[in-house]
């Protein structure tokens, strides 16, 4: 039995640099475009007028703005599709370094867009930072999950989500009207996303690649052993090397699993369904809609227009604090309980919020109930639905199927995000306050699925977790992949 291990300096720094350089930017770019929206729309209109001598219609401007916002999740979807080929070819650390191109280039473009008088640069840049976020939202959890010893996999697996929430909060703070939301300030606000990327390019090369990648994909035993020694802070890593080797043995029969093969293999059936449902549930539970709606809820509760930005940042701060709590409780309470608890809170908050929004004209204190619901929802989402699904992908798939699983999970995540972003404004017009009922139902269904199907993975090795699913998938214990693969041609990602 491998003894429980401590957090070494190398592991802590690798975690911080990977998460700050990549996950932080994802959060920052989600929120950064909200504060200067009106000023940027004026810039779009003014630029168009300078070129053509007339102003855009309201519809064209709204459409162009929607495209600017939704290019980000669309880029995220494209980024998810690149995960498999890149992590197999360049390694986990190599992919994170390569990924910074998709951040530094758009940061420069967005910073120069006003001087160059082209809003097209902003739209292209949103697509590029989206690709960056799509890659990092999958690769960072994979990298950290493979670096961490099993007793800290949960805590380190939640760190990327923590940095996403920190990124959102920093974007809200920098977006205050007194800071960077101004005629002159917004290009700087958008361009700041390049700073964490530049830091990562400078610092990450000094840290080890994932030992699992080195041993299993690269077959480089010496490098894997050295990486493990540096990460664990001692020389006796033979037991852990042995565990990685066992996983490799169990997998060797499988070859690299492509996305198509992932869907065909009986031995991975419940894992794939679980990932699709949890990733879909995470985005379709309305977390973006709540943020979108928050300002209106605060305004209707009597918060002054100029002060809404501070309340919104307060919500962002709550999000950060609750995610910090999740880092510490995920190893105590386990993954399953946090998902159940989180989705249940979100479901309740959506139901009460609907009632509060319907009644806010008739009962004077109802708007305050709405504010409580928004904050409760944020708390619920931060402890389970936000951080846990990406952590679970690392845990319930073995090395050879993990890249394909992240591609599936990532694609579901970003397509759901994109869909909510495009459709929610129309739902809101059509259903008004009742639009949150849809989200409540999705939260409820995800809770029920988790309760019935998802096992606890806390403090288990990847092999042990695999055995739980082997029973659920009703395939034989030894090398479940073998039977499946006799009939399938050897596969590559390009299938």
């Amino acid at each position: 039995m491998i003894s429980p291990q401590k957090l070494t300096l190398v592991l802590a720094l690798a975690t911080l640099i990977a998460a700050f350089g990549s996950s932080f930017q994802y959060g920052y770019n989600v929120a950064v475009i909200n504060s200067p929206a009106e000023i940027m729309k004026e810039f779009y209109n003014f630029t168009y007028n300078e070129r053509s001598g007339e102003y855009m219609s309201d519809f064209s401007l709204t459409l162009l703005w929607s495209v600017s916002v939704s290019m980000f999740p669309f880029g995220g979807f494209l980024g998810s599709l690149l995960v498999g080929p890149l992590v197999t070819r360049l390694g986990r650390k190599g992919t994170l370094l390569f990924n910074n191109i998709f951040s530094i280039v758009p940061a420069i473009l967005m910073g120069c867009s006003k001087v160059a008088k082209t809003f097209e640069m902003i739209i292209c840049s949103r697509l590029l930072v989206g690709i960056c976020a799509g890659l990092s939202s999958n690769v960072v959890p994979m990298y950290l999950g493979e670096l961490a010893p099993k007793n800290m996999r949960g805590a380190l697996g939640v760190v990327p989500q923590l940095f996403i929430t920190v990124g959102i909060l920093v974007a809200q703070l920098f977006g205050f009207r007194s800071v960077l939301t101004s005629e002159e300030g917004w290009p700087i606000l958008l361009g700041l996303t390049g700073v964490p990327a530049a830091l990562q390019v400078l610092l990450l090369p000094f840290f080890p690649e994932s030992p699992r990648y080195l041993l299993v994909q690269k077959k480089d035993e010496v490098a894997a052993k050295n990486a493990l020694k540096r990460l664990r802070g001692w020389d006796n890593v033979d037991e852990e090397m042995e565990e990685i080797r066992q996983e490799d043995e169990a997998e060797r029969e499988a070859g690299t699993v492509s996305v198509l093969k992932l869907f065909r293999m009986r031995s991975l059936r419940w894992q794939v369904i679980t990932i699709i449902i949890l990733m879909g549930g995470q985005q379709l539970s309305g977390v973006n809609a709540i943020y979108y709606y928050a300002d209106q809820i605060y305004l209707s509760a009597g918060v002054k227009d100029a002060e809404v930005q501070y309340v919104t940042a307060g919500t962002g701060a709550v999000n950060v604090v609750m995610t910090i709590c999740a880092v510490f409780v995920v190893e105590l309470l386990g993954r399953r309980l946090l998902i159940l608890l989180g989705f249940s809170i979100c479901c309740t908050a959506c139901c009460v919020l609907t009632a509060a929004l319907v009644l806010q004209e008739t009962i004077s204190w109802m708007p305050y109930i709405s504010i409580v619901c928004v904050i409760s929802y944020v708390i619920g989402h931060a402890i389970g639905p936000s951080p846990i699904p990406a952590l679970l992908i690392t845990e319930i798939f073995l090395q050879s199927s993990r890249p394909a699983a992240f591609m599936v999970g990532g694609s579901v995540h970003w397509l759901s995000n994109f869909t909510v972003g495009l459709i929610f404004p129309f739902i809101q017009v059509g259903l008004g306050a009742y639009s949150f009922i849809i989200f409540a139902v999705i939260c409820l269904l995800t809770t029920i699925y988790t309760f019935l199907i998802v096992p606890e993975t806390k403090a288990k090795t990847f092999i042990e977790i695999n055995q739980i699913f082997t029973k659920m998938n009703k395939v034989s214990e030894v090398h479940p992949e073998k039977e499946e693969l006799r009939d399938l041609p050897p596969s590559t990602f390009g299938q």
Side-chain angles (χ1 to χ4, degrees):
M1 191 66 201
I2 303 170
S3 56
Q5 285 160 356
K6 295 185 190 66
L7 185 61
T8 57
L9 185 64
V10 174
L11 182 56
L13 288 175
T15 304
L16 289 177
I17 291 162
F20 176 68
S22 300
S23 309
F24 174 86
Q25 290 184 63
Y26 167 18
Y28 186 81
N29 285 310
V30 164
V32 73
I33 205 161
N34 294 344
S35 310
E38 293 311 313
I39 299 176
M40 285 172 71
K41 282 184 199 168
E42 281 169 25
F43 165 71
Y44 281 25
N45 219 342
F46 177 72
T47 311
Y48 183 78
N49 179 36
E50 282 210 330
R51 287 182 204 167
S52 63
E54 54 190 55
Y55 287 104
M56 284 187 232
S57 67
D58 279 354
F59 178 77
S60 305
L61 185 58
T62 307
L63 187 68
L64 200 58
W65 184 250
S66 294
V67 170
S68 309
V69 175
S70 53
M71 267 299 145
F72 179 71
F74 182 66
F77 169 64
L78 296 179
S80 298
L81 300 181
L82 296 171
V83 169
L86 285 177
V87 293
T88 312
R89 207 155 296 149
L90 303 175
R92 279 66 169 143
K93 180 177 106 173
T95 303
L96 289 178
L97 288 171
F98 170 74
N99 190 23
N100 288 316
I101 298 171
F102 297 116
S103 169
I104 294 170
V105 173
I108 295 167
L109 289 178
M110 288 194 285
C112 301
S113 56
K114 189 176 176 191
V115 182
K117 296 190 174 165
T118 51
F119 53 76
E120 290 84 354
M121 276 163 79
I122 296 174
I123 294 173
C124 292
S125 302
R126 290 287 293 171
L127 181 71
L128 290 173
V129 288
I131 293 174
C132 171
L135 270 165
S136 68
S137 65
N138 294 302
V139 181
V140 178
M142 191 190 302
Y143 178 58
L144 298 183
E146 292 181 12
L147 291 187
K150 69 176 183 189
N151 59 310
M152 287 177 345
R153 217 170 40 224
L156 294 186
V158 175
V159 169
Q161 182 59 36
L162 172 61
F163 273 88
I164 292 174
T165 59
V166 173
I168 293 175
L169 179 60
V170 169
Q172 288 168 339
L173 297 175
F174 283 170
F176 282 168
R177 285 165 210 173
S178 54
V179 187
L180 283 173
T181 295
S182 60
E183 289 289 337
E184 298 72 45
W186 67 261
I188 305 170
L189 184 68
L190 295 181
L192 281 175
T193 183
V195 176
L199 278 172
Q200 192 183 59
V201 169
L202 294 174
L203 297 173
L204 194 63
F206 297 106
F207 290 87
E209 174 58 273
S210 152
R212 284 172 190 277
Y213 171 78
L214 292 170
L215 186 64
V216 178
Q217 266 90 10
K218 281 275 175 268
K219 309 277 180 270
D220 187 342
E221 188 143 344
V222 182
K225 202 161 186 175
N226 289 338
L228 263 183
K229 284 179 184 171
R230 281 188 63 198
L231 288 164
R232 301 291 176 258
W234 60 51
D235 286 347
N236 183 16
V237 291
D238 295 338
E239 274 184 79
E240 205 167 349
M241 287 288 285
E242 191 47 47
E243 185 210 315
I244 300 174
R245 252 187 233 109
Q246 279 174 354
E247 189 183 333
D248 184 25
E249 288 297 313
E251 296 267 281
R252 189 157 294 153
E253 307 298 327
T256 308
V257 178
S258 70
V259 171
L260 280 177
K261 203 194 305 181
L262 196 71
F263 281 105
R264 284 190 204 153
M265 284 166 66
R266 232 184 95 189
S267 59
L268 295 175
R269 185 160 303 158
W270 281 110
Q271 290 95 309
V272 175
I273 296 171
T274 297
I275 285 316
I276 291 174
I277 287 181
L278 288 181
M279 276 296 186
Q282 176 195 62
Q283 289 302 313
L284 300 173
S285 61
V287 62
N288 298 351
I290 287 268
Y291 272 116
Y292 179 85
Y293 217 91
D295 287 6
Q296 281 126 305
I297 292 172
Y298 299 146
L299 285 171
S300 67
V303 179
K304 293 190 187 68
D305 187 30
E307 287 163 11
V308 164
Q309 51 180 1
Y310 302 117
V311 185
T312 308
T315 320
V318 169
N319 200 353
V320 173
V321 171
M322 290 318 297
T323 312
I324 293 174
C325 296
V327 172
F328 291 104
V329 297
V330 67
E331 295 297 355
L332 288 171
L333 299 179
R335 288 64 160 147
R336 182 184 146 92
L337 183 62
L338 288 183
I339 294 179
L340 290 171
L341 193 64
F343 274 117
S344 309
I345 294 173
C346 292
C347 179
T348 315
C350 283
C351 294
V352 179
L353 180 60
T354 307
L357 289 174
V358 172
L359 297 173
Q360 73 182 11
E361 300 305 318
T362 44
I363 303 174
S364 61
W365 45 266
M366 265 303 158
Y368 299 104
I369 302 287
S370 311
I371 293 187
V372 172
C373 289
V374 170
I375 292 171
S376 312
Y377 182 95
V378 167
I379 290 173
H381 216 275
I383 57 173
S386 286
I388 308 293
L391 163 65
L392 276 179
I393 304 182
T394 308
E395 296 197 318
I396 66 180
F397 289 93
L398 294 180
Q399 193 76 11
S400 63
S401 48
R402 201 171 288 135
F406 266 104
M407 284 164 80
V408 172
S411 303
V412 172
H413 171 107
W414 289 103
L415 282 176
S416 309
N417 188 322
F418 183 66
T419 311
V420 171
L422 277 185
I423 295 176
F424 181 69
F426 297 103
I427 296 179
Q428 197 194 332
V429 172
L431 291 176
Y434 294 102
S435 47
F436 286 99
I437 290 289
I438 300 173
F439 299 132
V441 170
I442 291 170
C443 290
L444 182 65
L445 294 175
T446 317
T447 311
I448 294 168
Y449 177 85
T450 306
F451 182 73
L452 296 176
I453 305 291
V454 180
E456 183 51 72
T457 56
K458 178 180 78 171
K460 293 182 170 69
T461 66
F462 291 138
I463 293 282
E464 288 164 351
I465 296 166
N466 198 45
Q467 283 163 350
I468 300 173
F469 276 100
T470 302
K471 290 194 184 71
M472 284 167 60
N473 291 318
K474 299 190 170 51
V475 283
S476 65
E477 192 70 64
V478 205
H479 303 330
E481 283 91 352
K482 273 188 187 168
E483 320 144 20
E484 311 286 326
L485 293 173
R486 283 209 191 104
D487 353 310
L488 288 174
S491 134
T492 58
F493 272 105
Q495 196 169 324

